Amino acid sequence: MAALVNRRGNDDICPGGPLFSNLVDSSLLLSLTRNVDVYCPPRKRPRVTAPLIFRAGEKIADEKLQRSIDTLPEECLFEILRRLPGDKERSNSACVSKRWLMLLSSIRSSELAQKKPSVESVKKPVPDLNKDCALDEHESENNGYLTRRLDAEEATDIRLASIALGTYSRGGLGKLFIRGSNSTRLTDVGLSAIAHACPSLHVLSMWKVPLITDAGLSEIADGCPLLERLDLCRCPLISDKGLMAVAQKCPNLMSLTIDSCSSIGNEGLQVIGRCCPKLKSVSIKDCLHVGDRGIASLVSSASSSLERLKLHTLNISDISLAVIGNYGKNVIELSLTGLQNVGEKGFWVMGNTLGLQKLRSITITCCGKLTDRGLEAIAKGSPFLKHLSVHKCYYLSDDGLKAFAETARALESLHLEDCNRITLMGVTALLACNSELKSLALVRCLGLKDLAFSPTRLPSCVSLTSLTIRDCPGVTGASLQVVGRICSQLQKIDLSGQAGVTDASLIQLIGSSEVGFVEVNLCGCVDLTDDLVTLLVKAHGSTLKMLNLNGCKKITDRSLLAVADSCSMLDDLDLSCCSVSDYGVAVLASARQLNLHVLSLSSCSKVTQKIVPFLGNLGKSMVGLNLQNCSLISTHGIVLLEEKLWWCDIIS
């Protein structure tokens, strides 16, 4: 041993310095020959807490030698993370780092390692009475009770991955709404995370997500077979391929909305019609590559289930309308907008095929070739039609309206907008023919003008409860007096934008209602005065719930005194741009019988800071207060109101 210790040569085994200060005491080197054979007996691995390498008497900094699990390649880390025992463990592990989060979100349900039951786990556990069993059952079922909404910059891959892992153990994600923008950074990676961790997803709505492609939608189709509703709006990179993947793997699809998706065409719709037997609602808007072939195949294939169909701004012709009329046996709601290539023949054939027997509501907008003949055919083919809405169809006249009314006996609601060939004679004929009509709206129909003579025989329309005449400058006093004589059961009346209406023209209408007005909209009727408002609230104060006097500049505090004295049911009052002052508003706010929910004093120039204490006493029923453009109310006054009415939404 002495010879071993006193051998010749350099004591430094390592060039950077001696490894041991005393070779004998170390008891690790048993023999050392010319080849420097070293023997190290088995021993317990020490826990290293300090640097082990010395170089020229200096040690390397601790931070350079730190060991971390993140140094493992992703393949190894993947194998570790997929063996985590439960959903909560995976959710907690996702909080470690972004790398772990994204890696965990990439693990499919089929890739999770199944835990083998031990002998102890097979035994029936002792019940824990302190444990909330109902909550555990709710979480373990993962039935998709949760809803998440992301707007603009919130929509990122990391956020979706967090949602996917965070909701999995809390009932499961059922509805996901993404409203993006041109700068949205969401990609297929985030959507794949939802697909991997949210098999319970049944509603997916994506608006303006420019980076999502067919690959992401295909992942949703693979991982979310329970999908029932799909909305795609302004998704330029999604094509027929992604839509076909959804059709083939999501047989429960019931609702499909496609809006401004330039890459989607006929092939995707054809597969949707063949593979989705439960499809009930379809809305397709502004898709340039969708034509007659796609619409015809979709409607004919899904004829047994399709109930709602909306076609907006598409390059379809009379052929599509003929197929709808023939195969739309279960369609109850139909909307046709901006179909410039559809002619009179298309509407005529759609009605005369007699296939729309269950149709209850139809909306036709900007279809310039709809004529009286086409409208009459629709009435004949849909005997149970209840709601008709026609916008900007300039060839429709009184003759077509009368013929329609004579056939559509079940009609309850009629809305005519920008139909300039319709006159009061046609409207009178409609009221005379239809005994079920409950709601009539005439908006910007420039052909409506006061009659030069009063008809000797006027029809009686006791069923009409709602009347809207908006922005029809030719309708003034005489016409409204006739309406008052015809309609005795009116409850809702909207005359907004009728600048020519005066007090005298409304007296007959106000006095004719036998049941009492519930909603009255007189917005923009600039010539109305306090006399009419006083008459209105005295006659209908016990039933009136909504009163809009926006823009009636001749309305003063006198009207507010009448409202405070006579109205007991009023909950919505709009006094914007009226000539009311602090006194009238103070009386209104102090009325004990009033329980206002919404009050608007926007642009009331006479309302000042003095009204703040009175507005603060409006009560618990207030949910909305509009004080925009009230320049005499200071910022401090608004702050005081917000503190006093902390539950109320105050706009200033």
Side-chain angles (χ1 to χ4, degrees), residues 204-484:
L204 175 61
S205 178
M206 297 189 294
W207 186 88
K208 210 170 186 179
V209 281
L211 300 181
I212 296 294
T213 68
D214 292 332
L217 194 58
S218 298
E219 289 284 350
I220 290 291
D222 290 334
C224 307
L226 301 179
L227 192 68
E228 297 178 355
R229 171 184 164 186
L230 177 63
D231 299 341
L232 302 175
C233 180
R234 298 189 184 183
C235 303
L237 299 183
I238 293 180
S239 66
D240 291 329
K241 183 179 178 181
L243 204 58
M244 287 188 288
V246 172
Q248 294 168 353
K249 298 179 181 180
C250 301
N252 294 324
L253 190 68
M254 301 174 63
S255 175
L256 175 65
T257 298
I258 305 174
D259 186 349
S260 304
C261 296
S262 56
S263 299
I264 292 180
N266 295 322
E267 294 182 5
L269 296 181
Q270 289 175 328
V271 179
I272 286 286
R274 290 196 303 265
C275 301
C276 300
K278 298 181 180 180
L279 192 64
K280 292 185 177 181
S281 176
V282 174
S283 176
I284 306 174
K285 178 181 179 181
D286 198 16
C287 296
L288 299 178
H289 299 294
V290 173
D292 289 326
R293 188 162 58 93
I295 298 301
S297 177
L298 175 67
V299 174
S300 59
S301 300
S303 61
S304 61
S305 60
L306 192 61
E307 296 180 353
R308 291 173 175 81
L309 180 62
K310 297 182 180 181
L311 305 177
H312 293 200
T313 322
L314 301 177
N315 293 323
I316 60 176
S317 64
D318 297 340
I319 297 175
S320 294
L321 264 64
V323 173
I324 292 172
N326 189 40
Y327 290 97
K329 299 178 181 180
N330 290 298
V331 175
I332 60 176
E333 182 179 340
L334 179 62
S335 177
L336 307 172
T337 301
L339 306 181
Q340 301 301 326
N341 297 328
V342 174
E344 179 187 29
K345 183 180 179 181
F347 290 103
W348 185 86
V349 173
M350 183 178 70
N352 281 288
T353 52
L354 304 179
L356 297 174
Q357 294 291 314
K358 294 184 179 181
L359 189 65
R360 298 293 186 270
S361 174
I362 183 170
T363 299
I364 303 174
T365 304
C366 295
C367 296
K369 297 180 182 178
L370 174 67
T371 62
D372 297 340
R373 187 165 169 247
L375 189 64
E376 183 181 3
I378 291 173
K380 290 180 179 179
S382 309
F384 301 105
L385 188 66
K386 294 182 178 294
H387 307 283
L388 171 66
S389 181
V390 180
H391 304 246
K392 296 183 179 180
C393 296
Y394 303 109
Y395 291 104
L396 189 62
S397 67
D398 289 342
D399 294 336
L401 188 61
K402 182 178 179 181
F404 177 85
E406 290 175 349
T407 306
R409 295 291 185 175
L411 190 68
E412 296 181 356
S413 173
L414 176 62
H415 184 107
L416 299 176
E417 187 170 335
D418 291 308
C419 298
N420 296 330
R421 297 184 64 183
I422 301 295
T423 68
L424 285 177
M425 293 298 295
V427 174
T428 304
L430 170 72
L431 297 177
C433 294
N434 195 295
S435 59
E436 300 294 330
L437 192 65
K438 297 178 181 179
S439 175
L440 174 61
L442 306 170
V443 181
R444 292 190 298 274
C445 295
L446 302 182
L448 295 176
K449 297 180 181 179
D450 288 338
L451 298 175
F453 61 94
S454 178
T456 55
R457 296 182 58 185
L458 290 175
S460 176
C461 188
V462 295
S463 62
L464 193 68
T465 60
S466 176
L467 175 64
T468 297
I469 303 177
R470 187 186 309 155
D471 296 323
C472 300
V475 177
T476 57
S479 301
L480 293 177
Q481 290 178 4
V482 172
V483 171

Side-chain angles (χ1 to χ4, degrees), residues 2-24:
L4 177 62
V5 175
N6 296 325
R7 68 176 179 84
R8 294 183 180 181
N10 188 359
D11 290 338
D12 298 336
I13 295 178
C14 298
L19 180 61
F20 299 101
S21 59
N22 190 332
L23 293 177
V24 177

